[in-house]
Amino acid sequence: MANAADCAYAVIRASILDGTFAPGSRLKEAELVEFCGVSRTPVREALRRLAAEDFVRIQRNQGAEVKTWSDDDLDDLFDLRALLEGHAAAAAARQISAAQLEQIRAAIVEMDAVLASSAPQAEQVAQFLRLNRVVHETVWEAAGSGRLQSMLGRLVEQALIAHTARHYSLARVAQSHHHHRELLDALAAGDAVWAEAMMRGHIRAARLTLKVPPS
Amino acid sequence: MANAADCAYAVIRASILDGTFAPGSRLKEAELVEFCGVSRTPVREALRRLAAEDFVRIQRNQGAEVKTWSDDDLDDLFDLRALLEGHAAAAAARQISAAQLEQIRAAIVEMDAVLASSAPQAEQVAQFLRLNRVVHETVWEAAGSGRLQSMLGRLVEQALIAHTARHYSLARVAQSHHHHRELLDALAAGDAVWAEAMMRGHIRAARLTLKVPPS
DNA sequence: GTGCACTCGATTGTATACATTAACGCTTCG
DNA sequence: CGAAGCGTTAATGTATACAATCGAGTGCAC
């Protein structure tokens, strides 16, 4: 990373996402200085950025702490995500390019391979989540709104914090996989209503995953 | 303003909104230091905040400039606003409180008074815009989603930059006024579909105002 | 004459010292 | 014994000095 500030941002952000800094934990600037290996100035800048993206909460003269998400917050978040991702899917259905369709198709094929492999389940899930992200980002991109794209990116990553250390069942993953397939059909058919409905359902189902504690 | 950083933020932001810093103009930190009367550190923090809120664009080692909005950007912005404000109106219709309804009603009554007054037209429009903001913010609040509320706040203020130095026709204001009245009816009736439709139309009409140059 | 490279100036990025604030614990008074 | 006031301390907020970077202008070589 060229910039000290970007570096601090990346390090802290990654540490929040992977659970090194648990939700609710205090982030003291002095500690982050040695953790990141840069001075306080870029650390502070990184914290402000993270606050703007709702990863941390900053109170005046009281420092930063990793944001915690209540169940209601998550409901709120996923409601908005369903609305916006549904909107994106509808827009995408109207104007998606052949290349973008192909990209989604390829990701789904890769998912097939991952799920059919004999890799450890955690590895399978990790791979699946990566490909899942590809599918969604391609849809956002096809929707053709930079603003929508960045909003969704942020919402999804906020949701990821809540996901930390939560494992997915293979059954849940399989359901997602079916959603993706049908979404692809809807997009290929150029059916905006169908695509929007599928995407909204897909997001609502994802919300449920976070509600039911893993057994 | 207690904080130097908050102070700088408020000053710069206000100057962007009122056109003192025109879209596209470069914001040099040294200039802002004397403009705001604080040191570079809080000025930089303010600029980063403004960048996070899409008021300015920052390029590495090249400083900040007031963001410019193309026609397509504004289409994009208002599309999203219509979607989100429509969603907010629908949610509000389902759960708005009597006090909030009354607040909207009072704002509309005040609008009546403003439009019937003999104040200079610019003054009338300014007052109307303030009350317009009250109506919208009350709807957002009634929707009950903090996230939606902050997103809409940002979108609206981005739109305001484009409005700078653009005057509204009284005819346009009267149309808005009618929208508000009908929106109130829909909210009072608890009719989410009606409320959403009204709000979407209201926003689309507002977009048109920015497209047609003032005569 | 044109194109490239180099230097200089201006501006942003970073580190650090200092100021300010708020929380915590102690003392003291009721 | 409890509560309120005050001082200490540990953190954040601010200013400023220094470093790195970019762009423009100039001069040299081809």
Side-chain angles (χ1 to χ4, degrees):
Chain A
M1 205 75 54
N3 255 11
D6 289 348
C7 175
Y9 170 79
V11 168
I12 299 171
R13 187 170 172 283
S15 300
I16 291 175
L17 281 173
D18 73 13
T20 303
F21 297 138
S25 63
R26 177 98 178 271
L27 297 176
K28 280 183 251 184
E29 295 177 358
E31 291 172 4
L32 295 174
V33 162
E34 45 182 332
F35 189 76
C36 300
V38 297
S39 79
R40 269 185 66 209
T41 307
V43 164
R44 282 174 64 81
E45 182 177 327
L47 284 177
R48 304 305 161 129
R49 261 172 83 181
L50 290 165
E53 294 172 1
D54 264 350
F55 281 96
V56 305
R57 202 187 67 189
I58 292 181
Q59 284 179 300
R60 273 199 20 178
N61 292 316
Q62 290 186 230
E65 64 179 46
V66 180
K67 201 147 183 178
T68 61
W69 302 94
S70 73
D71 220 51
D72 283 350
D73 283 333
L74 288 175
D75 279 336
D76 190 16
L77 193 156
F78 274 80
D79 275 355
L80 262 183
R81 237 190 106 180
L83 178 73
L84 291 174
E85 291 232 38
H87 182 72
R94 289 187 206 99
Q95 59 191 21
I96 193 167
S97 73
Q100 288 165 330
L101 262 183
E102 182 48 37
Q103 200 169 342
I104 294 175
R105 184 170 289 122
I108 291 178
V109 168
E110 242 191 286
M111 285 173 175
D112 283 328
V114 166
L115 296 179
S117 78
S118 57
Q121 184 170 327
E123 176 66 19
Q124 283 183 302
V125 169
Q127 283 296 315
F128 183 85
L129 287 179
R130 185 182 59 79
L131 292 164
N132 177 67
R133 184 72 188 249
V134 170
V135 169
H136 283 260
E137 284 183 343
T138 305
V139 171
W140 306 343
E141 193 188 323
S145 162
R147 213 179 301 268
L148 183 58
Q149 208 168 341
S150 68
M151 273 186 179
L152 278 171
R154 253 189 259 178
L155 287 180
V156 166
E157 301 210 313
Q158 285 168 26
L160 275 180
I161 302 179
H163 276 265
T164 303
R166 185 172 300 265
H167 73 268
Y168 290 73
S169 72
L170 275 185
R172 162 76 188 105
V173 166
Q175 182 192 32
S176 256
H177 195 39
H178 281 116
H179 290 158
H180 292 150
R181 287 181 173 287
E182 193 165 343
L183 177 66
L184 175 62
D185 289 340
L187 292 174
D191 189 324
V193 174
W194 185 14
E196 179 167 2
M198 278 312 302
M199 186 60 99
R200 292 178 76 112
H202 180 53
I203 304 296
R204 302 298 290 194
R207 171 69 185 103
L208 203 62
T209 304
L210 286 173
K211 277 207 164 154
V212 183
S215 56
Chain B
M1 205 75 53
N3 255 11
D6 289 348
C7 175
Y9 170 79
V11 168
I12 299 171
R13 187 170 172 284
S15 300
I16 291 175
L17 282 173
D18 73 12
T20 303
F21 297 138
S25 63
R26 177 97 178 273
L27 297 176
K28 280 182 253 186
E29 295 177 359
E31 290 173 5
L32 295 173
V33 162
E34 46 181 332
F35 189 76
C36 301
V38 297
S39 80
R40 269 184 65 210
T41 307
V43 163
R44 280 175 64 82
E45 183 179 327
L47 283 176
R48 303 306 161 129
R49 262 171 83 181
L50 290 165
E53 294 172 1
D54 263 351
F55 280 96
V56 305
R57 204 187 67 191
I58 293 182
Q59 284 180 301
R60 272 202 15 182
N61 292 316
Q62 289 186 231
E65 63 179 46
V66 180
K67 201 147 183 179
T68 60
W69 302 93
S70 73
D71 220 51
D72 284 350
D73 283 332
L74 288 175
D75 279 336
D76 190 16
L77 194 157
F78 275 80
D79 276 355
L80 262 183
R81 237 190 105 181
L83 178 73
L84 291 173
E85 291 231 38
H87 183 72
R94 289 187 206 99
Q95 58 191 20
I96 193 167
S97 73
Q100 288 166 329
L101 262 183
E102 183 48 38
Q103 200 171 342
I104 294 175
R105 186 170 287 120
I108 291 179
V109 168
E110 241 191 287
M111 285 173 174
D112 281 329
V114 166
L115 296 179
S117 79
S118 56
Q121 183 171 328
E123 175 65 21
Q124 282 183 303
V125 169
Q127 283 295 315
F128 182 85
L129 287 179
R130 185 181 59 78
L131 292 165
N132 177 67
R133 185 72 188 250
V134 169
V135 169
H136 283 260
E137 285 184 342
T138 305
V139 171
W140 305 344
E141 193 188 322
S145 163
R147 212 179 302 268
L148 183 58
Q149 208 168 344
S150 69
M151 274 187 179
L152 279 170
R154 251 189 263 177
L155 287 179
V156 165
E157 302 210 312
Q158 285 169 26
L160 275 180
I161 302 179
H163 277 265
T164 302
R166 186 172 301 265
H167 73 268
Y168 290 74
S169 72
L170 274 185
R172 162 76 187 104
V173 165
Q175 183 192 30
S176 256
H177 196 38
H178 281 115
H179 290 158
H180 291 152
R181 288 182 173 289
E182 192 164 343
L183 177 66
L184 175 62
D185 289 340
L187 292 173
D191 189 324
V193 174
W194 185 12
E196 179 167 2
M198 277 313 303
M199 186 59 100
R200 290 178 77 111
H202 180 54
I203 303 296
R204 302 297 290 194
R207 172 69 185 102
L208 203 61
T209 305
L210 286 172
K211 278 206 164 156
V212 182
S215 56

